[in-house]
Amino acid sequence: MVSTIKSLPWLKQIKQQAVEYSAYSDRELRDASLDLAHESRRLDKIAQLLVRGFALVQTAATRQLQMTHYDVQFLGGKSMCDGHVVEMRTGEGKTLTATLPASCAAMAGMPVHVVTVNDYLVERDARLMRPVYERLGLTVGHVIEGMDTAQR
């Protein structure tokens, strides 16, 4: 399976695009994110923009968190963008994987909700991944039990 994943053309394209984005300044990276957002809203097809979107997220994660997505995380992210539910084991990087489809959908103007199993993980994941989303010009909020309507 690993050799099959590595041979996927879109995966190679993401990595090539990420290398190009790595040379961008922070402002250029954010501008590229905004350009992608405008283009995705015009095309109304997020799938056509996944390579650039995933490469932008990869670049932001590397800069902000010194974290790099693994091939299987890209595969999981693409599967979620294709409308599938993805199951991953503990330690396989679900939180980082979720940045891929969440960011691309948000850049495409879709409302995005990332759901997790408890309030601790909600707060931790929002805090941990906030720099990645914000680097791309996105905002992050979270909802936990006990918040009143105004806080939500």
PDB file of all heavy atoms in Angstrom, residues 89-127:
ATOM      1  N   ARG A  89      -6.042   5.530  13.762  1.00  0.00           N
ATOM      2  CA  ARG A  89      -5.721   5.069  15.109  1.00  0.00           C
ATOM      3  C   ARG A  89      -5.094   6.189  15.934  1.00  0.00           C
ATOM      4  O   ARG A  89      -4.616   7.182  15.400  1.00  0.00           O
ATOM      5  CB  ARG A  89      -4.747   3.899  15.036  1.00  0.00           C
ATOM      6  CG  ARG A  89      -5.343   2.671  14.431  1.00  0.00           C
ATOM      7  CD  ARG A  89      -4.355   1.547  14.438  1.00  0.00           C
ATOM      8  NE  ARG A  89      -4.979   0.371  13.851  1.00  0.00           N
ATOM      9  CZ  ARG A  89      -4.324  -0.656  13.406  1.00  0.00           C
ATOM     10  NH1 ARG A  89      -3.007  -0.697  13.470  1.00  0.00           N
ATOM     11  NH2 ARG A  89      -4.967  -1.682  12.898  1.00  0.00           N
ATOM     12  N   THR A  90      -5.053   5.979  17.216  1.00  0.00           N
ATOM     13  CA  THR A  90      -4.387   6.906  18.122  1.00  0.00           C
ATOM     14  C   THR A  90      -2.937   7.077  17.686  1.00  0.00           C
ATOM     15  O   THR A  90      -2.246   6.094  17.415  1.00  0.00           O
ATOM     16  CB  THR A  90      -4.443   6.367  19.570  1.00  0.00           C
ATOM     17  OG1 THR A  90      -5.814   6.230  19.936  1.00  0.00           O
ATOM     18  CG2 THR A  90      -3.728   7.299  20.527  1.00  0.00           C
ATOM     19  N   GLY A  91      -2.511   8.321  17.595  1.00  0.00           N
ATOM     20  CA  GLY A  91      -1.134   8.612  17.241  1.00  0.00           C
ATOM     21  C   GLY A  91      -0.859   8.741  15.758  1.00  0.00           C
ATOM     22  O   GLY A  91       0.264   9.039  15.360  1.00  0.00           O
ATOM     23  N   GLU A  92      -1.864   8.558  14.919  1.00  0.00           N
ATOM     24  CA  GLU A  92      -1.644   8.656  13.474  1.00  0.00           C
ATOM     25  C   GLU A  92      -1.785  10.084  12.943  1.00  0.00           C
ATOM     26  O   GLU A  92      -1.563  10.305  11.756  1.00  0.00           O
ATOM     27  CB  GLU A  92      -2.599   7.725  12.715  1.00  0.00           C
ATOM     28  CG  GLU A  92      -2.219   6.271  12.855  1.00  0.00           C
ATOM     29  CD  GLU A  92      -3.025   5.353  11.956  1.00  0.00           C
ATOM     30  OE1 GLU A  92      -4.263   5.513  11.870  1.00  0.00           O
ATOM     31  OE2 GLU A  92      -2.415   4.477  11.319  1.00  0.00           O
ATOM     32  N   GLY A  93      -2.147  11.023  13.809  1.00  0.00           N
ATOM     33  CA  GLY A  93      -2.171  12.409  13.387  1.00  0.00           C
ATOM     34  C   GLY A  93      -3.501  12.902  12.872  1.00  0.00           C
ATOM     35  O   GLY A  93      -3.550  13.630  11.886  1.00  0.00           O
ATOM     36  N   LYS A  94      -4.573  12.549  13.543  1.00  0.00           N
ATOM     37  CA  LYS A  94      -5.904  13.002  13.123  1.00  0.00           C
ATOM     38  C   LYS A  94      -6.022  14.522  13.158  1.00  0.00           C
ATOM     39  O   LYS A  94      -6.596  15.121  12.254  1.00  0.00           O
ATOM     40  CB  LYS A  94      -6.981  12.380  14.020  1.00  0.00           C
ATOM     41  CG  LYS A  94      -7.141  10.884  13.863  1.00  0.00           C
ATOM     42  CD  LYS A  94      -8.197  10.328  14.796  1.00  0.00           C
ATOM     43  CE  LYS A  94      -7.726  10.196  16.221  1.00  0.00           C
ATOM     44  NZ  LYS A  94      -6.686   9.217  16.459  1.00  0.00           N
ATOM     45  N   THR A  95      -5.464  15.133  14.191  1.00  0.00           N
ATOM     46  CA  THR A  95      -5.575  16.581  14.335  1.00  0.00           C
ATOM     47  C   THR A  95      -4.896  17.299  13.177  1.00  0.00           C
ATOM     48  O   THR A  95      -5.456  18.226  12.584  1.00  0.00           O
ATOM     49  CB  THR A  95      -4.970  17.029  15.686  1.00  0.00           C
ATOM     50  OG1 THR A  95      -5.649  16.352  16.735  1.00  0.00           O
ATOM     51  CG2 THR A  95      -5.088  18.527  15.879  1.00  0.00           C
ATOM     52  N   LEU A  96      -3.697  16.869  12.825  1.00  0.00           N
ATOM     53  CA  LEU A  96      -2.987  17.483  11.698  1.00  0.00           C
ATOM     54  C   LEU A  96      -3.675  17.135  10.377  1.00  0.00           C
ATOM     55  O   LEU A  96      -3.786  17.990   9.490  1.00  0.00           O
ATOM     56  CB  LEU A  96      -1.523  17.034  11.685  1.00  0.00           C
ATOM     57  CG  LEU A  96      -0.633  17.725  10.666  1.00  0.00           C
ATOM     58  CD1 LEU A  96      -0.574  19.233  10.908  1.00  0.00           C
ATOM     59  CD2 LEU A  96       0.776  17.129  10.700  1.00  0.00           C
ATOM     60  N   THR A  97      -4.149  15.913  10.236  1.00  0.00           N
ATOM     61  CA  THR A  97      -4.852  15.508   9.017  1.00  0.00           C
ATOM     62  C   THR A  97      -6.068  16.389   8.776  1.00  0.00           C
ATOM     63  O   THR A  97      -6.331  16.808   7.648  1.00  0.00           O
ATOM     64  CB  THR A  97      -5.283  14.030   9.107  1.00  0.00           C
ATOM     65  OG1 THR A  97      -4.125  13.209   9.270  1.00  0.00           O
ATOM     66  CG2 THR A  97      -6.031  13.585   7.856  1.00  0.00           C
ATOM     67  N   ALA A  98      -6.800  16.688   9.838  1.00  0.00           N
ATOM     68  CA  ALA A  98      -8.023  17.483   9.706  1.00  0.00           C
ATOM     69  C   ALA A  98      -7.761  18.885   9.184  1.00  0.00           C
ATOM     70  O   ALA A  98      -8.655  19.514   8.604  1.00  0.00           O
ATOM     71  CB  ALA A  98      -8.746  17.552  11.049  1.00  0.00           C
ATOM     72  N   THR A  99      -6.530  19.397   9.345  1.00  0.00           N
ATOM     73  CA  THR A  99      -6.237  20.735   8.827  1.00  0.00           C
ATOM     74  C   THR A  99      -6.372  20.799   7.313  1.00  0.00           C
ATOM     75  O   THR A  99      -6.673  21.863   6.770  1.00  0.00           O
ATOM     76  CB  THR A  99      -4.819  21.204   9.217  1.00  0.00           C
ATOM     77  OG1 THR A  99      -3.838  20.297   8.678  1.00  0.00           O
ATOM     78  CG2 THR A  99      -4.665  21.311  10.726  1.00  0.00           C
ATOM     79  N   LEU A 100      -6.157  19.683   6.638  1.00  0.00           N
ATOM     80  CA  LEU A 100      -6.203  19.669   5.173  1.00  0.00           C
ATOM     81  C   LEU A 100      -7.614  19.915   4.641  1.00  0.00           C
ATOM     82  O   LEU A 100      -7.846  20.915   3.949  1.00  0.00           O
ATOM     83  CB  LEU A 100      -5.615  18.362   4.639  1.00  0.00           C
ATOM     84  CG  LEU A 100      -4.133  18.124   4.963  1.00  0.00           C
ATOM     85  CD1 LEU A 100      -3.763  16.662   4.784  1.00  0.00           C
ATOM     86  CD2 LEU A 100      -3.255  19.025   4.123  1.00  0.00           C
ATOM     87  N   PRO A 101      -8.579  19.039   4.936  1.00  0.00           N
ATOM     88  CA  PRO A 101      -9.928  19.306   4.409  1.00  0.00           C
ATOM     89  C   PRO A 101     -10.597  20.509   5.056  1.00  0.00           C
ATOM     90  O   PRO A 101     -11.340  21.234   4.383  1.00  0.00           O
ATOM     91  CB  PRO A 101     -10.694  18.011   4.707  1.00  0.00           C
ATOM     92  CG  PRO A 101      -9.972  17.397   5.860  1.00  0.00           C
ATOM     93  CD  PRO A 101      -8.520  17.771   5.659  1.00  0.00           C
ATOM     94  N   ALA A 102     -10.333  20.749   6.346  1.00  0.00           N
ATOM     95  CA  ALA A 102     -10.962  21.891   7.018  1.00  0.00           C
ATOM     96  C   ALA A 102     -10.510  23.199   6.375  1.00  0.00           C
ATOM     97  O   ALA A 102     -11.328  24.090   6.106  1.00  0.00           O
ATOM     98  CB  ALA A 102     -10.640  21.881   8.511  1.00  0.00           C
ATOM     99  N   SER A 103      -9.222  23.346   6.136  1.00  0.00           N
ATOM    100  CA  SER A 103      -8.709  24.572   5.524  1.00  0.00           C
ATOM    101  C   SER A 103      -9.217  24.744   4.105  1.00  0.00           C
ATOM    102  O   SER A 103      -9.631  25.841   3.724  1.00  0.00           O
ATOM    103  CB  SER A 103      -7.178  24.562   5.524  1.00  0.00           C
ATOM    104  OG  SER A 103      -6.682  24.583   6.829  1.00  0.00           O
ATOM    105  N   CYS A 104      -9.172  23.683   3.322  1.00  0.00           N
ATOM    106  CA  CYS A 104      -9.621  23.787   1.929  1.00  0.00           C
ATOM    107  C   CYS A 104     -11.099  24.134   1.849  1.00  0.00           C
ATOM    108  O   CYS A 104     -11.498  24.987   1.055  1.00  0.00           O
ATOM    109  CB  CYS A 104      -9.323  22.492   1.176  1.00  0.00           C
ATOM    110  SG  CYS A 104      -7.572  22.269   0.831  1.00  0.00           S
ATOM    111  N   ALA A 105     -11.906  23.495   2.683  1.00  0.00           N
ATOM    112  CA  ALA A 105     -13.341  23.793   2.677  1.00  0.00           C
ATOM    113  C   ALA A 105     -13.591  25.229   3.133  1.00  0.00           C
ATOM    114  O   ALA A 105     -14.406  25.941   2.540  1.00  0.00           O
ATOM    115  CB  ALA A 105     -14.083  22.799   3.566  1.00  0.00           C
ATOM    116  N   ALA A 106     -12.876  25.667   4.168  1.00  0.00           N
ATOM    117  CA  ALA A 106     -13.049  27.039   4.654  1.00  0.00           C
ATOM    118  C   ALA A 106     -12.618  28.050   3.598  1.00  0.00           C
ATOM    119  O   ALA A 106     -13.291  29.071   3.394  1.00  0.00           O
ATOM    120  CB  ALA A 106     -12.269  27.244   5.956  1.00  0.00           C
ATOM    121  N   MET A 107     -11.505  27.773   2.917  1.00  0.00           N
ATOM    122  CA  MET A 107     -11.060  28.679   1.859  1.00  0.00           C
ATOM    123  C   MET A 107     -12.069  28.731   0.718  1.00  0.00           C
ATOM    124  O   MET A 107     -12.179  29.737   0.023  1.00  0.00           O
ATOM    125  CB  MET A 107      -9.680  28.275   1.341  1.00  0.00           C
ATOM    126  CG  MET A 107      -8.562  28.626   2.302  1.00  0.00           C
ATOM    127  SD  MET A 107      -6.901  28.344   1.625  1.00  0.00           S
ATOM    128  CE  MET A 107      -6.730  26.583   1.790  1.00  0.00           C
ATOM    129  N   ALA A 108     -12.816  27.637   0.542  1.00  0.00           N
ATOM    130  CA  ALA A 108     -13.832  27.591  -0.513  1.00  0.00           C
ATOM    131  C   ALA A 108     -15.139  28.244  -0.066  1.00  0.00           C
ATOM    132  O   ALA A 108     -16.119  28.253  -0.806  1.00  0.00           O
ATOM    133  CB  ALA A 108     -14.085  26.143  -0.921  1.00  0.00           C
ATOM    134  N   GLY A 109     -15.158  28.778   1.145  1.00  0.00           N
ATOM    135  CA  GLY A 109     -16.328  29.484   1.632  1.00  0.00           C
ATOM    136  C   GLY A 109     -17.355  28.609   2.316  1.00  0.00           C
ATOM    137  O   GLY A 109     -18.462  29.063   2.611  1.00  0.00           O
ATOM    138  N   MET A 110     -17.012  27.359   2.551  1.00  0.00           N
ATOM    139  CA  MET A 110     -17.939  26.459   3.240  1.00  0.00           C
ATOM    140  C   MET A 110     -17.811  26.642   4.749  1.00  0.00           C
ATOM    141  O   MET A 110     -16.714  26.805   5.257  1.00  0.00           O
ATOM    142  CB  MET A 110     -17.600  25.003   2.914  1.00  0.00           C
ATOM    143  CG  MET A 110     -17.696  24.629   1.483  1.00  0.00           C
ATOM    144  SD  MET A 110     -17.123  22.917   1.300  1.00  0.00           S
ATOM    145  CE  MET A 110     -17.163  22.729  -0.455  1.00  0.00           C
ATOM    146  N   PRO A 111     -18.926  26.572   5.463  1.00  0.00           N
ATOM    147  CA  PRO A 111     -18.810  26.578   6.926  1.00  0.00           C
ATOM    148  C   PRO A 111     -18.156  25.268   7.364  1.00  0.00           C
ATOM    149  O   PRO A 111     -18.471  24.211   6.826  1.00  0.00           O
ATOM    150  CB  PRO A 111     -20.262  26.634   7.412  1.00  0.00           C
ATOM    151  CG  PRO A 111     -21.110  26.834   6.212  1.00  0.00           C
ATOM    152  CD  PRO A 111     -20.297  26.547   5.006  1.00  0.00           C
ATOM    153  N   VAL A 112     -17.237  25.337   8.296  1.00  0.00           N
ATOM    154  CA  VAL A 112     -16.507  24.143   8.719  1.00  0.00           C
ATOM    155  C   VAL A 112     -16.636  23.959  10.220  1.00  0.00           C
ATOM    156  O   VAL A 112     -16.451  24.894  10.987  1.00  0.00           O
ATOM    157  CB  VAL A 112     -15.005  24.254   8.345  1.00  0.00           C
ATOM    158  CG1 VAL A 112     -14.227  23.060   8.864  1.00  0.00           C
ATOM    159  CG2 VAL A 112     -14.837  24.394   6.844  1.00  0.00           C
ATOM    160  N   HIS A 113     -16.942  22.738  10.602  1.00  0.00           N
ATOM    161  CA  HIS A 113     -16.990  22.352  12.008  1.00  0.00           C
ATOM    162  C   HIS A 113     -16.144  21.103  12.158  1.00  0.00           C
ATOM    163  O   HIS A 113     -16.400  20.104  11.492  1.00  0.00           O
ATOM    164  CB  HIS A 113     -18.424  22.047  12.457  1.00  0.00           C
ATOM    165  CG  HIS A 113     -19.349  23.205  12.291  1.00  0.00           C
ATOM    166  ND1 HIS A 113     -19.522  24.160  13.255  1.00  0.00           N
ATOM    167  CD2 HIS A 113     -20.122  23.584  11.241  1.00  0.00           C
ATOM    168  CE1 HIS A 113     -20.379  25.058  12.827  1.00  0.00           C
ATOM    169  NE2 HIS A 113     -20.745  24.748  11.603  1.00  0.00           N
ATOM    170  N   VAL A 114     -15.139  21.161  12.999  1.00  0.00           N
ATOM    171  CA  VAL A 114     -14.322  19.990  13.313  1.00  0.00           C
ATOM    172  C   VAL A 114     -14.819  19.489  14.657  1.00  0.00           C
ATOM    173  O   VAL A 114     -14.807  20.220  15.641  1.00  0.00           O
ATOM    174  CB  VAL A 114     -12.818  20.342  13.376  1.00  0.00           C
ATOM    175  CG1 VAL A 114     -12.002  19.121  13.762  1.00  0.00           C
ATOM    176  CG2 VAL A 114     -12.348  20.917  12.046  1.00  0.00           C
ATOM    177  N   VAL A 115     -15.265  18.260  14.694  1.00  0.00           N
ATOM    178  CA  VAL A 115     -15.874  17.697  15.894  1.00  0.00           C
ATOM    179  C   VAL A 115     -14.923  16.674  16.502  1.00  0.00           C
ATOM    180  O   VAL A 115     -14.321  15.878  15.791  1.00  0.00           O
ATOM    181  CB  VAL A 115     -17.224  17.022  15.551  1.00  0.00           C
ATOM    182  CG1 VAL A 115     -17.868  16.423  16.790  1.00  0.00           C
ATOM    183  CG2 VAL A 115     -18.158  18.012  14.879  1.00  0.00           C
ATOM    184  N   THR A 116     -14.814  16.729  17.828  1.00  0.00           N
ATOM    185  CA  THR A 116     -14.009  15.743  18.530  1.00  0.00           C
ATOM    186  C   THR A 116     -14.781  15.269  19.762  1.00  0.00           C
ATOM    187  O   THR A 116     -15.873  15.760  20.036  1.00  0.00           O
ATOM    188  CB  THR A 116     -12.600  16.288  18.865  1.00  0.00           C
ATOM    189  OG1 THR A 116     -11.772  15.220  19.298  1.00  0.00           O
ATOM    190  CG2 THR A 116     -12.662  17.384  19.893  1.00  0.00           C
ATOM    191  N   VAL A 117     -14.219  14.344  20.505  1.00  0.00           N
ATOM    192  CA  VAL A 117     -15.006  13.603  21.496  1.00  0.00           C
ATOM    193  C   VAL A 117     -15.173  14.261  22.855  1.00  0.00           C
ATOM    194  O   VAL A 117     -16.063  13.888  23.603  1.00  0.00           O
ATOM    195  CB  VAL A 117     -14.445  12.180  21.699  1.00  0.00           C
ATOM    196  CG1 VAL A 117     -14.540  11.387  20.415  1.00  0.00           C
ATOM    197  CG2 VAL A 117     -13.017  12.226  22.208  1.00  0.00           C
ATOM    198  N   ASN A 118     -14.336  15.219  23.216  1.00  0.00           N
ATOM    199  CA  ASN A 118     -14.500  15.824  24.539  1.00  0.00           C
ATOM    200  C   ASN A 118     -13.972  17.255  24.551  1.00  0.00           C
ATOM    201  O   ASN A 118     -13.252  17.678  23.652  1.00  0.00           O
ATOM    202  CB  ASN A 118     -13.834  14.971  25.634  1.00  0.00           C
ATOM    203  CG  ASN A 118     -12.340  14.847  25.463  1.00  0.00           C
ATOM    204  OD1 ASN A 118     -11.641  15.831  25.252  1.00  0.00           O
ATOM    205  ND2 ASN A 118     -11.829  13.621  25.558  1.00  0.00           N
ATOM    206  N   ASP A 119     -14.350  17.980  25.578  1.00  0.00           N
ATOM    207  CA  ASP A 119     -13.999  19.399  25.673  1.00  0.00           C
ATOM    208  C   ASP A 119     -12.495  19.628  25.738  1.00  0.00           C
ATOM    209  O   ASP A 119     -11.981  20.608  25.185  1.00  0.00           O
ATOM    210  CB  ASP A 119     -14.674  20.033  26.887  1.00  0.00           C
ATOM    211  CG  ASP A 119     -16.173  20.218  26.698  1.00  0.00           C
ATOM    212  OD1 ASP A 119     -16.657  20.040  25.560  1.00  0.00           O
ATOM    213  OD2 ASP A 119     -16.843  20.556  27.688  1.00  0.00           O
ATOM    214  N   TYR A 120     -11.776  18.733  26.404  1.00  0.00           N
ATOM    215  CA  TYR A 120     -10.322  18.877  26.485  1.00  0.00           C
ATOM    216  C   TYR A 120      -9.712  18.878  25.087  1.00  0.00           C
ATOM    217  O   TYR A 120      -8.893  19.740  24.749  1.00  0.00           O
ATOM    218  CB  TYR A 120      -9.701  17.752  27.331  1.00  0.00           C
ATOM    219  CG  TYR A 120      -8.208  17.658  27.147  1.00  0.00           C
ATOM    220  CD1 TYR A 120      -7.352  18.584  27.760  1.00  0.00           C
ATOM    221  CD2 TYR A 120      -7.646  16.685  26.324  1.00  0.00           C
ATOM    222  CE1 TYR A 120      -5.986  18.525  27.562  1.00  0.00           C
ATOM    223  CE2 TYR A 120      -6.272  16.626  26.118  1.00  0.00           C
ATOM    224  CZ  TYR A 120      -5.457  17.544  26.733  1.00  0.00           C
ATOM    225  OH  TYR A 120      -4.104  17.485  26.529  1.00  0.00           O
ATOM    226  N   LEU A 121     -10.115  17.910  24.250  1.00  0.00           N
ATOM    227  CA  LEU A 121      -9.570  17.832  22.895  1.00  0.00           C
ATOM    228  C   LEU A 121     -10.017  19.007  22.035  1.00  0.00           C
ATOM    229  O   LEU A 121      -9.263  19.477  21.184  1.00  0.00           O
ATOM    230  CB  LEU A 121      -9.954  16.503  22.243  1.00  0.00           C
ATOM    231  CG  LEU A 121      -9.292  15.261  22.834  1.00  0.00           C
ATOM    232  CD1 LEU A 121      -9.859  14.003  22.189  1.00  0.00           C
ATOM    233  CD2 LEU A 121      -7.782  15.311  22.685  1.00  0.00           C
ATOM    234  N   VAL A 122     -11.227  19.476  22.250  1.00  0.00           N
ATOM    235  CA  VAL A 122     -11.711  20.643  21.505  1.00  0.00           C
ATOM    236  C   VAL A 122     -10.778  21.827  21.742  1.00  0.00           C
ATOM    237  O   VAL A 122     -10.293  22.465  20.801  1.00  0.00           O
ATOM    238  CB  VAL A 122     -13.161  21.008  21.916  1.00  0.00           C
ATOM    239  CG1 VAL A 122     -13.553  22.375  21.378  1.00  0.00           C
ATOM    240  CG2 VAL A 122     -14.130  19.945  21.436  1.00  0.00           C
ATOM    241  N   GLU A 123     -10.531  22.121  23.021  1.00  0.00           N
ATOM    242  CA  GLU A 123      -9.680  23.268  23.357  1.00  0.00           C
ATOM    243  C   GLU A 123      -8.238  23.047  22.923  1.00  0.00           C
ATOM    244  O   GLU A 123      -7.595  23.949  22.378  1.00  0.00           O
ATOM    245  CB  GLU A 123      -9.751  23.557  24.859  1.00  0.00           C
ATOM    246  CG  GLU A 123     -11.101  24.119  25.263  1.00  0.00           C
ATOM    247  CD  GLU A 123     -11.182  24.474  26.722  1.00  0.00           C
ATOM    248  OE1 GLU A 123     -10.953  23.595  27.581  1.00  0.00           O
ATOM    249  OE2 GLU A 123     -11.475  25.656  26.996  1.00  0.00           O
ATOM    250  N   ARG A 124      -7.718  21.854  23.144  1.00  0.00           N
ATOM    251  CA  ARG A 124      -6.333  21.561  22.774  1.00  0.00           C
ATOM    252  C   ARG A 124      -6.130  21.686  21.273  1.00  0.00           C
ATOM    253  O   ARG A 124      -5.191  22.341  20.799  1.00  0.00           O
ATOM    254  CB  ARG A 124      -5.955  20.141  23.232  1.00  0.00           C
ATOM    255  CG  ARG A 124      -4.502  19.801  22.926  1.00  0.00           C
ATOM    256  CD  ARG A 124      -4.242  18.325  22.868  1.00  0.00           C
ATOM    257  NE  ARG A 124      -4.835  17.758  21.656  1.00  0.00           N
ATOM    258  CZ  ARG A 124      -4.760  16.471  21.337  1.00  0.00           C
ATOM    259  NH1 ARG A 124      -4.166  15.619  22.148  1.00  0.00           N
ATOM    260  NH2 ARG A 124      -5.320  16.025  20.234  1.00  0.00           N
ATOM    261  N   ASP A 125      -7.001  21.052  20.506  1.00  0.00           N
ATOM    262  CA  ASP A 125      -6.838  21.054  19.045  1.00  0.00           C
ATOM    263  C   ASP A 125      -7.030  22.441  18.456  1.00  0.00           C
ATOM    264  O   ASP A 125      -6.310  22.834  17.526  1.00  0.00           O
ATOM    265  CB  ASP A 125      -7.782  20.046  18.401  1.00  0.00           C
ATOM    266  CG  ASP A 125      -7.434  18.602  18.744  1.00  0.00           C
ATOM    267  OD1 ASP A 125      -6.411  18.372  19.424  1.00  0.00           O
ATOM    268  OD2 ASP A 125      -8.201  17.703  18.340  1.00  0.00           O
ATOM    269  N   ALA A 126      -7.990  23.197  18.974  1.00  0.00           N
ATOM    270  CA  ALA A 126      -8.191  24.570  18.489  1.00  0.00           C
ATOM    271  C   ALA A 126      -6.951  25.408  18.773  1.00  0.00           C
ATOM    272  O   ALA A 126      -6.482  26.155  17.904  1.00  0.00           O
ATOM    273  CB  ALA A 126      -9.427  25.192  19.143  1.00  0.00           C
ATOM    274  N   ARG A 127      -6.403  25.277  19.969  1.00  0.00           N
ATOM    275  CA  ARG A 127      -5.209  26.039  20.353  1.00  0.00           C
ATOM    276  C   ARG A 127      -3.991  25.602  19.524  1.00  0.00           C
ATOM    277  O   ARG A 127      -3.239  26.430  19.018  1.00  0.00           O
ATOM    278  CB  ARG A 127      -4.922  25.857  21.844  1.00  0.00           C
ATOM    279  CG  ARG A 127      -3.753  26.680  22.359  1.00  0.00           C
ATOM    280  CD  ARG A 127      -3.403  26.373  23.809  1.00  0.00           C
ATOM    281  NE  ARG A 127      -2.709  25.092  23.898  1.00  0.00           N
ATOM    282  CZ  ARG A 127      -3.227  23.961  24.413  1.00  0.00           C
ATOM    283  NH1 ARG A 127      -4.433  23.938  24.910  1.00  0.00           N
ATOM    284  NH2 ARG A 127      -2.517  22.850  24.437  1.00  0.00           N
TER     285      ARG A 127
END
